[in-house]
Amino acid sequence: MKTLPELLNGIRPESDFTLSHDFIADGMLDSFDVVTLVATLDKTYGISIEGVDIVPEHFLNLDTIAVLLKKYGVQAA
């Protein structure tokens, strides 16, 4: 199973997501990328992230994404 940085690099290969604390402010993810990431996470982990959880503060960095995934029972690497 791919790690979160690997999944993110599949969306934006030019970015190093391990170096940023705010993917959106740093221009690494836009709204379309977040939607793509949600679909990728859903498919990869067999979950369905609810619309109320698709907000920028859940996709700021690796830690906030991991917390969101934990809510859905996923222990992300």
Side-chain angles (χ1 to χ4, degrees), residues 1 4 16 24 26 31-32 35 37 40 45-47 51 53 57-58 66 68-73 75-77:
M1 177 135 344
L4 278 177
D16 185 347
I24 295 167
D26 291 343
S31 58
F32 181 76
V35 171
L37 177 58
T40 300
Y45 297 113
I47 59 175
D53 286 327
E57 51 267 20
H58 288 159
L68 175 64
L69 289 173
K70 188 173 183 178
K71 175 181 176 180
Y72 289 90
Q75 194 67 24

Side-chain angles (χ1 to χ4, degrees), residues 60-71:
L60 294 179
N61 56 52
L62 295 173
D63 292 334
T64 60
I65 296 169
V67 168
L68 175 64
L69 289 173
K70 188 173 183 178
K71 175 181 176 180

Side-chain angles (χ1 to χ4, degrees), residues 23-49:
F23 301 154
I24 295 167
D26 291 343
M28 299 169 86
L29 292 179
D30 60 24
S31 58
F32 181 76
D33 296 327
V34 170
V35 171
T36 303
L37 177 58
V38 168
T40 300
L41 295 172
D42 285 356
K43 182 178 179 184
T44 301
Y45 297 113
I47 59 175
S48 182
I49 297 172

